[in-house]
Amino acid sequence: MTATFPSLAGHFLIAMPLMSDPHFAESVVYILTHDEQGALGIIINRPSGLTLADVLEQLQPEHATLSDSDDQDVFLGGPVQSELGFVLHNIGPQFQGTMNFGSLSLTSSQDALAAIAQGQGPQQNLIALGHAGWGAGQLEEELRDNAWLSCPADPNVIFSTPIEQRRSAAAALLGVDLERLSHQVGHA
């Protein structure tokens, strides 16, 4: 008999210490959608080393001077479609390609980046290259294998917590100290 998992949309996935996939080791993923067809999320704690200014210089070299947000980090959102940019942001601002997912929105169009660069974008935002994706049943299998912890997401962890503290802050939502987790995995 196969266990049925409830939707994890609006949840964090927190990589367990033994996560071997280098794309996800020590990551926190915000899950946007999860159903019988699969799941889609954005890694929220893996800076790419690029800034918004770097990205816009590549996309729109004619607009070289921007606002104070020039130095905003751009994240590695996941290994899927890593050539595409995504903006995870608070509900409200609408751009071309904005889709609402519960309490947050995801935009995949350049007009959102330009608005952020001009200081007119969403107050809370995370810019990412690529996303995380799982096919039908794949995430459920990883959960059965104890690869992830999951908990309801808190936007403050995404938008207000320093990058290096996001994983421990997400785990703390469950009352878990990742430093004290056993590296042994088992099933009852």
Side-chain angles (χ1 to χ4, degrees), residues 43 60 116:
I43 297 173
Q60 304 170 350
I116 292 167

Side-chain angles (χ1 to χ4, degrees), residues 75-116:
F75 290 77
L76 296 174
V80 180
Q81 295 182 307
S82 58
E83 72 283 0
L84 296 180
F86 298 92
V87 180
L88 182 64
H89 58 89
N90 53 298
I91 291 273
Q94 294 290 307
F95 304 95
Q96 294 176 12
T98 297
M99 295 175 37
N100 295 327
F101 293 94
S103 63
L104 297 178
S105 294
L106 186 72
T107 298
S108 59
S109 59
Q110 291 183 23
D111 60 334
L113 294 176
I116 292 167

Side-chain angles (χ1 to χ4, degrees), residues 13 19 24 29-31 33-35 37-43 80 131-140 142 148:
L13 291 181
M19 172 65 74
F24 295 106
V29 182
Y30 176 74
I31 298 296
T33 183
H34 177 217
D35 57 27
Q37 297 173 4
L40 172 100
I42 300 287
I43 297 173
V80 180
H131 64 84
W134 292 265
Q138 186 179 4
L139 180 55
E140 291 80 0
E142 291 179 16
W148 302 99

Side-chain angles (χ1 to χ4, degrees), residues 15-17 19 21 24-28 45-46 167:
M16 291 291 284
M19 172 65 74
D21 184 331
F24 295 106
E26 298 187 7
S27 69
V28 178
N45 68 327
R46 185 149 302 145
R167 187 164 174 258

